Each structure stands twice: as C-alpha cells, then as structure tokens.
Amino acid sequence: MARVQSWIREALLGAPGETRADYAAIPAADREDGDEREGEREERDGEMGGDGMGGKDGVALFEYAIFLLLGCAMLWSWNMFMACATYFQRRFSSSPWILANFQSMIIVVSTVTNLGGTLLLSSRQATANYPRRIATSLIINVAVFTLLALSTVLFRHASATPYLLFTLVCVFFAALSTGFSQNGVFAFVNRFGGTCTQAIMTGQGVAGVLPAIAQIVSVLAIPPSVGTDAEDPAGASPKSAFAYFLTATAVSGLCLALFLLLLRRHAISLSTPANSPTTPTAAKKSVSLLVLLRKLRWLAFAIWLSFTVTMVFPIFTQSILSTRPLASNPARVFQPDVFIPLGFLLWNVGDLSGRLACGFPGLTTASPRVLALAAVARIVFVPIYLLCNVKGAGARVESDLFYWIVQLAFGASNGWIGSCCMMAAPSFVEEEEREACGGFMGLALVVGLTTGSVVSFFVL
C-alpha cells in the first residue's frame, strides 16, 4: 500500500528533487531507430496512398488501437455513473431529496475534482511523467470499479445517506483518475501524431456507447430482484449492477495491460530515474497558460461552451420518460429501467458518430470561429428538451421518436465540435508547445464540464 501511495504521489507531484525535463521518454538510441522506422513507414505510406494505418503497418495500427482504448477508459467511469441512473434511483428511493439531487451531486463532485486535479497537473509540466499518470489513472479505476461491484452485494441494505456518501467518494477517486488520464493521454499522444489524437476522441465516444449497452444488457439478462417491480418499477436488479461494474473493472484492467505493452514496445519506463543516461538533458519548455489562451482563445471557447451545454443532457436524460404510461403495461423498452439507459445510448451513439465523422477531412473544419459559432448554436437544444416528457409531466411533442432524434443530434454535435477543436489545436502552436497544448485543451474541456455541472442544478 505504501508503494502504491508513493507512486500516486510521484505521478501527481513528481519525484522528490526531480528535475528531468521530459516524461520517461523514448531513449535516444530508440529514437534513432524510431527515426529510421518512421522513414520506412513514410515510404510505405507513400506506396499505400494512406496514413500508415493499413495492414502493412502493424505498429501504427497497434498504437491507434491502444489510444482508442485509452480514450475509452478515460471517460468510462463518467458514462458508467450516468448510464446506471436507474440503479442509483432504486438505492436512493427512500430519500426524496437525495433521489431528486443525486445526479447533480455526482456531476458536481466529478467535475470539480477533475478540474482541481487537472489544474494541479497542468501547473507541473517540468516534472511531468505522463506515462506514469496514465498508468495511475487505470489502477485507480480498477480499484473504484471493484469497490462499486462489491457494494451491490455487501451494502444492499444500507440506507440512502451512507450509500450516497460511499458513492460520492467513489466518484471523487474516479474523477481524480480521469484528471490523471486526460492530462497524461492528451500530452503523451502528441508524440504519435494527429491520427492517434482522433483515436482518443473516438475512444471517448465508444466509452459512452459501451457502458449504456452494458447497462441495458445486464438489466434485460438478469431478472429483477423479488419485489422490485412492485416496489419500484424503475429499479434495476443489484445483480445486473454487479455485472455492470465488474465489466468496467475488466475494461480498465485490459487497458492497463495493453498500455504497459505499448510502453515496452517503445522502451519507455514508468520509473526512469532522474539521472538515467536515457533521460533527455535539454530542459522542457514550460509554456504559460496565458500564452496558450492567446493562441487558442476561440478553440478553447468553443470546447468550453460545447461541454458546458452538454452537461444538461444527463439531467434531462435521467428525467425524461416514455410518452407511453406505465399503467398501459408498455413493452420493456419503454419502461424506465431500459428507456433511460437507451436515452444515454442514443446520445452517445450520436456523439461517437460525430467523432468518427472527423476521420474524413471533408467533414471537418479547423476554423476556430466556425467552431465557436457552432458551440453557441447548441444552446437551442435546451428548450427542445423541454418539449419532451420531463419527469412524466407530459410532453409538448407526444413522440418517443422525436426525443430519440434529439438525443442523436445533440450527441453528434458534441462529438464533432470536440474532436475538431482537439485535432485543430496543435496547428496553432509551436512544435515545442504541442504537449502543453494538449493539456491546455483538456483543461478547457474540464472547465466546461465544471461550469455545466453548476448550471445543471438550475435547469430543472
């Protein structure tokens, strides 16, 4: 335990007395070999007419897949807490106040913790060990998801307040993990090029789709507990929640193993000492956040506003019910325990589609002002949500299909704007500023999530 604590402390603050200028980077000899391999890749790419992602370039395809998985792991915990809304509704049903506010509390704790961690990590560029930060985030995820899975069995009869506190502690550490991951991955990926950045953004979209699918499958595959339907039609079986959280543990464990394999392939160490002969001697340039803000002001504004507006979607999604009343005994898909996760799934399918669209040059833009205007236009989705059946109070538009289309469109706009901003940002800064640029854009994203989480308290 002491060793783990020491590792996390060093990942956050850097090793005591550490002055190395770079993360445990690719050794000089490996870089020379890597340059030769890169030249060979470029020759192959020219012959293939592609970007090196074809079957002939197994290393590039492997790296793309790893960064896609890292992007998936980065947001898995966030989407897990959102998609599992019906389970938490059942657990907190004995307290009306907690039932009405737990989603907003989860969002605030998550985003504020993520913001604080990201700010601290961003201020410590000179001693940053980005691979260690990534590995630390995955280890924390494995621990948190395992505890949540066990809680569905061990704390089944806990009252609402203690279980809320336990949940918020888990949210705190999951958000801290996300901070490590966002800061580390977006900086680390700039060593591998823009294609891998797009892989991360796509992975984040996948992270939204898979937890929602896992939640729906676990609910449909495992029958409700005895008495659940009578006491709470919206409730989800603790057994399905156990399987759901255990799946998240497996995903994080797989990502950790594959990430360590990536580091091994590039001879990158998680614990290279400061005086190691493989450590670069040139000092890493520490870039002021104000300098980056001046160069990236429109892109930072676009991604901040886009994710601020996005934060209304979890509040509306867990509150909007099917227009078909439960009294009519509708099909299972229209009952809350499936309808609500389905809403999350459709939003995230749209989000993933928007991110995938950025893989086609003709469907993207690098214009900061166009992206800023697109982010402003997304505000229109807030009043559109109010046309749906919010909290069963009746819908202005009596159609579940209308709601599903809104979810798809809102998600697609989020994925497209976010990916375009992250992919365009490195082209507006100097070469030596690109690592810091990735961390800065990640910070703008987190500030947007935090702002939106505060606003979410006043939406409904």
Side-chain angles (χ1 to χ4, degrees), residues 57-275:
D57 191 358
V59 174
L61 184 60
F62 174 78
E63 291 165 350
Y64 184 92
I66 295 301
F67 281 108
L68 187 147
L69 286 172
L70 288 174
C72 184
M74 186 185 301
L75 293 186
W76 188 281
S77 61
W78 165 259
N79 287 285
M80 180 195 68
F81 283 113
M82 295 298 102
C84 206
T86 51
Y87 168 72
F88 289 118
Q89 286 174 351
R90 177 178 180 274
R91 293 303 301 259
F92 301 137
S93 60
S94 62
S95 173
W97 186 88
I98 294 179
L99 182 61
N101 295 280
F102 79 89
Q103 195 82 307
S104 293
M105 286 189 283
I106 287 175
I107 290 173
V108 169
V109 171
S110 178
T111 54
V112 170
T113 303
N114 194 359
L115 175 61
T118 302
L119 285 171
L120 179 58
L121 293 169
S122 297
S123 68
R124 305 190 66 86
Q125 298 175 33
T127 59
N129 183 331
Y130 295 119
R132 179 177 289 181
R133 290 179 179 181
I134 296 169
T136 299
S137 75
L138 294 171
I139 292 172
I140 294 174
N141 273 350
V142 169
V144 169
F145 297 152
T146 300
L147 287 174
L148 282 168
L150 293 175
S151 75
T152 64
V153 177
L154 301 179
F155 304 153
R156 289 185 62 179
H157 302 293
S159 61
T161 300
Y163 195 73
L164 173 65
L165 295 176
F166 168 79
T167 301
L168 294 180
V169 169
C170 289
V171 169
F172 171 84
F173 282 103
L176 186 63
S177 166
T178 302
F180 275 113
S181 181
Q182 285 177 331
N183 180 268
V185 173
F186 281 124
F188 185 64
V189 72
N190 284 313
R191 297 277 175 168
F192 295 84
T195 302
C196 287
T197 300
Q198 194 267 341
I200 292 174
M201 300 304 292
T202 300
Q204 290 182 330
V206 172
V209 172
L210 293 184
I213 292 177
Q215 171 67 1
I216 293 172
V217 169
S218 63
V219 168
L220 294 177
I222 300 176
S225 301
V226 176
T228 296
D229 289 338
E231 297 169 7
D232 181 9
S237 168
K239 293 181 180 179
S240 67
F242 175 80
Y244 179 57
F245 292 135
L246 206 59
T247 301
T249 303
V251 169
S252 294
L254 175 64
C255 288
L256 177 60
L258 292 176
F259 177 65
L260 294 177
L261 181 59
L262 174 67
L263 297 184
R264 183 176 180 180
R265 287 177 68 121
H266 288 273
I268 301 174
S269 172
L270 289 173
S271 55
T272 301
N275 59 356

Side-chain angles (χ1 to χ4, degrees), residues 271-354:
S271 55
T272 301
N275 59 356
S276 168
T278 64
T279 302
T281 56
K284 181 195 288 186
K285 180 178 179 180
S286 181
V287 185
S288 168
L289 293 180
L290 291 177
V291 170
L292 294 172
L293 178 61
R294 185 172 67 252
K295 294 183 177 182
L296 303 170
R297 57 187 179 277
W298 289 110
L299 290 175
F301 170 78
I303 203 166
W304 166 79
L305 181 59
S306 180
F307 280 88
T308 295
V309 176
T310 290
M311 291 308 293
V312 305
F313 117 81
I315 304 301
F316 279 110
T317 303
Q318 65 98 20
S319 300
I320 293 177
L321 304 177
S322 171
T323 56
R324 308 186 184 198
L326 284 175
S328 65
N329 194 26
R332 190 71 187 276
V333 69
F334 298 107
Q335 296 179 17
D337 60 343
V338 176
F339 187 82
I340 291 176
L342 179 60
F344 282 102
L345 173 61
L346 291 174
W347 190 94
N348 284 291
V349 166
D351 179 62
L352 177 59
S353 300

